[in-house]
Amino acid sequence: MPCNCCEIENNTFTEVEAKANLRDYRRRGPAKQTRLILAAVRSLGLKDAALLDVGGGIGTIHHELLNDVAREATHVDASSAYLKVATEEAKRLGHEVQVKFIHADFTDVADELPQVDVVTLDRVVCCYPNFRELLKAASSKSRKAIALTYPRETWYVRIGLKAINFFQWLRNNPFRVFLHSVNEMEALLNAEGLEKVSVKQLLIWEMALYRR
């Protein structure tokens, strides 16, 4: 069901932006941090896996993994514009039967979703003020692994995120980005029975793979 989070996301992440992201994906392939998630999931050696992509945007992760790793996917996103573009691309690729699209804040609908083999969260944790609720919900859905990307805890990322939030404030846009403690996220996932097995870093983003 649409929620306040969905209203904020709809106003922030527009169809114009979603279509621009899709054009970039078709020209250049997945973004660098997304490639790290894809490689991590493929390293698990799974076949016919069930995938849950939280905040999946234009659907890059399931567009790619349905070709070799996954048999089905669930895409939950608070942005109706991105879901529309992802749905159209899934139809173009012949994946529409394999993907279930849900417009919602993931934490609102997590209890209604079945467990899957792998949960992915690409640049999603930084959009949630309450990362604990998000990661607990994601952990409860994962039978085997979680792969996620999040901003690195560096001085320049801290400054960059503060600048983004300042401009959002100037525009009266309630959407904010967050730099959560990596140690606290790891401790939470460990408590949920997941162990970090791989970490990769880019200039801004870090990718971590957790397995049960």
PDB file of all heavy atoms in Angstrom, residues 183-196:
ATOM      1  N   ASN A 183      29.840  -0.843  11.485  1.00  0.00           N
ATOM      2  CA  ASN A 183      29.992  -1.782  12.597  1.00  0.00           C
ATOM      3  C   ASN A 183      28.643  -2.138  13.219  1.00  0.00           C
ATOM      4  O   ASN A 183      28.395  -3.296  13.583  1.00  0.00           O
ATOM      5  CB  ASN A 183      30.916  -1.199  13.665  1.00  0.00           C
ATOM      6  CG  ASN A 183      32.367  -1.168  13.226  1.00  0.00           C
ATOM      7  OD1 ASN A 183      32.769  -1.920  12.333  1.00  0.00           O
ATOM      8  ND2 ASN A 183      33.152  -0.305  13.838  1.00  0.00           N
ATOM      9  N   GLU A 184      27.780  -1.145  13.342  1.00  0.00           N
ATOM     10  CA  GLU A 184      26.458  -1.412  13.914  1.00  0.00           C
ATOM     11  C   GLU A 184      25.610  -2.267  12.974  1.00  0.00           C
ATOM     12  O   GLU A 184      24.873  -3.152  13.417  1.00  0.00           O
ATOM     13  CB  GLU A 184      25.746  -0.094  14.220  1.00  0.00           C
ATOM     14  CG  GLU A 184      26.353   0.653  15.397  1.00  0.00           C
ATOM     15  CD  GLU A 184      25.581   1.915  15.727  1.00  0.00           C
ATOM     16  OE1 GLU A 184      24.401   2.022  15.333  1.00  0.00           O
ATOM     17  OE2 GLU A 184      26.158   2.804  16.389  1.00  0.00           O
ATOM     18  N   MET A 185      25.715  -2.016  11.672  1.00  0.00           N
ATOM     19  CA  MET A 185      24.983  -2.845  10.713  1.00  0.00           C
ATOM     20  C   MET A 185      25.483  -4.286  10.749  1.00  0.00           C
ATOM     21  O   MET A 185      24.696  -5.238  10.729  1.00  0.00           O
ATOM     22  CB  MET A 185      25.118  -2.260   9.302  1.00  0.00           C
ATOM     23  CG  MET A 185      24.367  -0.956   9.107  1.00  0.00           C
ATOM     24  SD  MET A 185      24.249  -0.442   7.368  1.00  0.00           S
ATOM     25  CE  MET A 185      25.965  -0.039   7.004  1.00  0.00           C
ATOM     26  N   GLU A 186      26.806  -4.448  10.825  1.00  0.00           N
ATOM     27  CA  GLU A 186      27.369  -5.796  10.877  1.00  0.00           C
ATOM     28  C   GLU A 186      26.945  -6.515  12.147  1.00  0.00           C
ATOM     29  O   GLU A 186      26.593  -7.711  12.112  1.00  0.00           O
ATOM     30  CB  GLU A 186      28.895  -5.737  10.794  1.00  0.00           C
ATOM     31  CG  GLU A 186      29.538  -7.112  10.800  1.00  0.00           C
ATOM     32  CD  GLU A 186      31.027  -7.076  10.527  1.00  0.00           C
ATOM     33  OE1 GLU A 186      31.587  -5.972  10.377  1.00  0.00           O
ATOM     34  OE2 GLU A 186      31.627  -8.163  10.451  1.00  0.00           O
ATOM     35  N   ALA A 187      26.960  -5.817  13.268  1.00  0.00           N
ATOM     36  CA  ALA A 187      26.557  -6.440  14.530  1.00  0.00           C
ATOM     37  C   ALA A 187      25.105  -6.894  14.467  1.00  0.00           C
ATOM     38  O   ALA A 187      24.763  -7.991  14.955  1.00  0.00           O
ATOM     39  CB  ALA A 187      26.752  -5.454  15.679  1.00  0.00           C
ATOM     40  N   LEU A 188      24.260  -6.095  13.871  1.00  0.00           N
ATOM     41  CA  LEU A 188      22.849  -6.473  13.746  1.00  0.00           C
ATOM     42  C   LEU A 188      22.697  -7.717  12.874  1.00  0.00           C
ATOM     43  O   LEU A 188      21.978  -8.661  13.238  1.00  0.00           O
ATOM     44  CB  LEU A 188      22.051  -5.305  13.159  1.00  0.00           C
ATOM     45  CG  LEU A 188      20.537  -5.477  13.052  1.00  0.00           C
ATOM     46  CD1 LEU A 188      19.856  -4.117  13.108  1.00  0.00           C
ATOM     47  CD2 LEU A 188      20.118  -6.192  11.763  1.00  0.00           C
ATOM     48  N   LEU A 189      23.372  -7.730  11.733  1.00  0.00           N
ATOM     49  CA  LEU A 189      23.255  -8.876  10.824  1.00  0.00           C
ATOM     50  C   LEU A 189      23.861 -10.131  11.446  1.00  0.00           C
ATOM     51  O   LEU A 189      23.340 -11.238  11.256  1.00  0.00           O
ATOM     52  CB  LEU A 189      23.907  -8.544   9.485  1.00  0.00           C
ATOM     53  CG  LEU A 189      23.156  -7.494   8.656  1.00  0.00           C
ATOM     54  CD1 LEU A 189      23.993  -7.035   7.469  1.00  0.00           C
ATOM     55  CD2 LEU A 189      21.820  -8.043   8.172  1.00  0.00           C
ATOM     56  N   ASN A 190      24.937  -9.972  12.200  1.00  0.00           N
ATOM     57  CA  ASN A 190      25.509 -11.116  12.917  1.00  0.00           C
ATOM     58  C   ASN A 190      24.504 -11.691  13.902  1.00  0.00           C
ATOM     59  O   ASN A 190      24.347 -12.916  14.021  1.00  0.00           O
ATOM     60  CB  ASN A 190      26.775 -10.697  13.667  1.00  0.00           C
ATOM     61  CG  ASN A 190      27.963 -10.420  12.763  1.00  0.00           C
ATOM     62  OD1 ASN A 190      28.932  -9.811  13.190  1.00  0.00           O
ATOM     63  ND2 ASN A 190      27.902 -10.844  11.505  1.00  0.00           N
ATOM     64  N   ALA A 191      23.814 -10.810  14.610  1.00  0.00           N
ATOM     65  CA  ALA A 191      22.804 -11.250  15.574  1.00  0.00           C
ATOM     66  C   ALA A 191      21.644 -11.960  14.899  1.00  0.00           C
ATOM     67  O   ALA A 191      20.967 -12.787  15.523  1.00  0.00           O
ATOM     68  CB  ALA A 191      22.291 -10.052  16.369  1.00  0.00           C
ATOM     69  N   GLU A 192      21.425 -11.660  13.615  1.00  0.00           N
ATOM     70  CA  GLU A 192      20.365 -12.312  12.857  1.00  0.00           C
ATOM     71  C   GLU A 192      20.842 -13.596  12.174  1.00  0.00           C
ATOM     72  O   GLU A 192      20.119 -14.192  11.382  1.00  0.00           O
ATOM     73  CB  GLU A 192      19.821 -11.346  11.793  1.00  0.00           C
ATOM     74  CG  GLU A 192      19.151 -10.103  12.353  1.00  0.00           C
ATOM     75  CD  GLU A 192      17.895 -10.416  13.138  1.00  0.00           C
ATOM     76  OE1 GLU A 192      17.126 -11.273  12.694  1.00  0.00           O
ATOM     77  OE2 GLU A 192      17.696  -9.792  14.214  1.00  0.00           O
ATOM     78  N   GLY A 193      22.085 -14.016  12.492  1.00  0.00           N
ATOM     79  CA  GLY A 193      22.601 -15.280  11.966  1.00  0.00           C
ATOM     80  C   GLY A 193      23.340 -15.178  10.655  1.00  0.00           C
ATOM     81  O   GLY A 193      23.556 -16.191   9.977  1.00  0.00           O
ATOM     82  N   LEU A 194      23.766 -13.989  10.282  1.00  0.00           N
ATOM     83  CA  LEU A 194      24.477 -13.775   9.020  1.00  0.00           C
ATOM     84  C   LEU A 194      25.911 -13.342   9.292  1.00  0.00           C
ATOM     85  O   LEU A 194      26.172 -12.541  10.193  1.00  0.00           O
ATOM     86  CB  LEU A 194      23.762 -12.711   8.185  1.00  0.00           C
ATOM     87  CG  LEU A 194      22.403 -13.140   7.631  1.00  0.00           C
ATOM     88  CD1 LEU A 194      21.468 -11.948   7.520  1.00  0.00           C
ATOM     89  CD2 LEU A 194      22.563 -13.825   6.283  1.00  0.00           C
ATOM     90  N   GLU A 195      26.836 -13.852   8.497  1.00  0.00           N
ATOM     91  CA  GLU A 195      28.255 -13.550   8.665  1.00  0.00           C
ATOM     92  C   GLU A 195      28.810 -12.906   7.405  1.00  0.00           C
ATOM     93  O   GLU A 195      28.547 -13.367   6.288  1.00  0.00           O
ATOM     94  CB  GLU A 195      29.037 -14.831   8.958  1.00  0.00           C
ATOM     95  CG  GLU A 195      30.526 -14.627   9.130  1.00  0.00           C
ATOM     96  CD  GLU A 195      31.272 -15.931   9.371  1.00  0.00           C
ATOM     97  OE1 GLU A 195      30.621 -16.999   9.435  1.00  0.00           O
ATOM     98  OE2 GLU A 195      32.508 -15.883   9.495  1.00  0.00           O
ATOM     99  N   LYS A 196      29.571 -11.843   7.592  1.00  0.00           N
ATOM    100  CA  LYS A 196      30.178 -11.165   6.443  1.00  0.00           C
ATOM    101  C   LYS A 196      31.257 -12.048   5.828  1.00  0.00           C
ATOM    102  O   LYS A 196      32.182 -12.492   6.509  1.00  0.00           O
ATOM    103  CB  LYS A 196      30.775  -9.829   6.865  1.00  0.00           C
ATOM    104  CG  LYS A 196      31.307  -8.989   5.707  1.00  0.00           C
ATOM    105  CD  LYS A 196      32.030  -7.750   6.192  1.00  0.00           C
ATOM    106  CE  LYS A 196      31.091  -6.747   6.814  1.00  0.00           C
ATOM    107  NZ  LYS A 196      31.812  -5.494   7.203  1.00  0.00           N
TER     108      LYS A 196
END
